[in-house]
């Protein structure tokens, strides 16, 4: 994967890149209210997934659920009545999911601000479910091409993790982030249109106007 992206074999890892962070803050997006944009995405048929680690003290899951519960969109009442269900992977409960009409929230257990680093398998399973051709988190199922592409991309990554030992599975956050970028790149290449949004990973399939939107 690193060779395919033209990356060096070894890079120093740091928690945050202050140069990137300052540019993000100075752009004005750091404190931007994106609720209107989320409403517009949902109205256009875009599936929206918001997730939080339940041990994240910087962006707590209760705060995310609060703004989602108060979101003034077309299906607010249906969202309010939607049940919270367990998210299971290999028979183990990894979190709770609430979903209705394309809006989905996932609380991931035993994860902090860097969910992919703390719960790599659960994160990949979450992405696979979100991008699946038959995802229960979408308002209506997408056509077969984009769904198959996303499912194949996820299958490749999950198979790679399965071949690792338990020790190797607990890879660094940087490596997991690279896997997530790979998943998005493979799926996006088949979907023809892709864009990296602030605090969000967007994927759009042009030929059937199906959309994907992910917020951390």
């Amino acid at each position: 994967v690193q060779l395919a992206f033209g990356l060096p074999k070894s890079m120093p890892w740091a928690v945050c890149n202050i140069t990137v962070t300052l540019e993000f803050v100075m752009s004005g997006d750091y404190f931007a209210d994106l609720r209107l944009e989320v409403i517009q995405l949902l109205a256009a048929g875009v599936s929206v997934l918001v997730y939080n680690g339940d041990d994240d003290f910087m962006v707590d899951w209760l705060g995310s659920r609060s703004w989602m519960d108060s979101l003034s969109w077309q299906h607010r009442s249906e969202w309010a009545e939607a049940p919270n269900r367990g998210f299971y992977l290999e028979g183990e409960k990894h979190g709770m999911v609430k979903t209705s009409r394309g809006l989905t929230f996932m609380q991931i257990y035993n994860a902090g601000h860097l969910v992919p680093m703390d719960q790599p398998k659960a994160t990949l399973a979450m992405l696979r479910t979100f991008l699946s051709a038959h995802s229960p988190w979408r308002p209506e199922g997408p056509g077969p091409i984009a769904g198959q592409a996303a499912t194949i991309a996820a299958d490749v990554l999950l198979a790679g993790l399965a071949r690792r030992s338990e020790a190797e599975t607990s890879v660094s956050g940087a490596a997991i982030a690279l896997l997530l970028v790979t998943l998005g790149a493979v799926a996006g290449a088949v979907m023809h249109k892709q864009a990296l949004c602030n605090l969000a990973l967007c994927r759009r399939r042009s030929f059937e106007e199906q959309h994907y939107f992910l917020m951390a």
Side-chain angles (χ1 to χ4, degrees):
V1 174
Q2 289 176 307
L3 290 176
F5 277 91
L7 300 175
K9 293 182 178 180
S10 177
M11 295 180 64
W13 183 86
V15 175
C16 295
N17 185 312
I18 191 62
T19 302
V20 175
T21 300
L22 287 176
E23 289 289 340
F24 179 58
V25 172
M26 296 303 293
S27 71
D29 286 343
Y30 190 73
F31 292 108
D33 185 347
L34 299 178
R35 286 175 293 182
L36 178 59
E37 282 76 5
V38 171
I39 293 173
Q40 293 172 341
L41 288 168
L42 291 168
V46 180
S47 293
V48 177
L49 167 64
V50 181
Y51 69 91
N52 285 90
D54 63 357
D55 294 331
D56 187 349
F57 71 93
M58 294 184 65
V59 184
D60 63 279
W61 70 272
L62 292 171
S64 293
R65 271 291 301 273
S66 179
W67 74 256
M68 294 177 75
D69 288 341
S70 63
L71 194 66
S72 298
W73 63 303
Q74 182 180 1
H75 301 289
R76 180 177 179 179
S77 60
E78 295 170 68
W79 163 263
E81 296 173 358
N84 289 297
R85 303 183 185 278
F87 183 80
Y88 291 87
L89 178 62
E90 299 176 350
E92 182 179 352
K93 189 176 181 180
H94 284 267
M96 296 294 293
V97 177
K98 180 175 182 177
T99 185
S100 180
R101 294 286 187 167
L103 178 62
T104 301
F105 173 74
M106 182 167 175
Q107 170 195 355
I108 302 179
Y109 291 164
N110 301 316
H113 194 59
L114 303 179
V115 175
M117 181 178 70
D118 295 331
Q119 296 295 336
K121 286 188 176 181
T123 302
L124 286 175
M126 176 184 69
L127 287 176
R128 179 180 180 183
T129 302
F130 183 55
L131 295 173
S132 170
H134 306 289
S135 175
W137 301 347
R138 293 180 55 76
E140 56 183 352
I145 298 178
Q148 289 175 3
T151 301
I152 290 171
D155 282 341
V156 170
L157 295 181
L158 289 173
L161 281 178
R163 287 193 296 270
R164 295 173 178 267
S165 65
E166 287 300 319
E168 290 176 321
T169 300
S170 299
V171 295
S172 69
I176 289 297
L178 183 59
L179 290 177
L180 298 183
V181 170
T182 305
L183 170 61
V186 173
V190 179
M191 294 173 193
H192 296 297
K193 290 186 178 180
Q194 53 185 330
L196 185 63
C197 305
N198 292 328
L199 298 181
L201 181 67
C202 307
R203 293 290 176 261
R204 175 171 179 173
R205 181 161 58 89
S206 62
F207 37 84
E208 288 187 19
E209 294 303 308
Q210 298 290 347
H211 312 265
Y212 305 89
F213 187 81
L214 176 65
M215 298 182 67

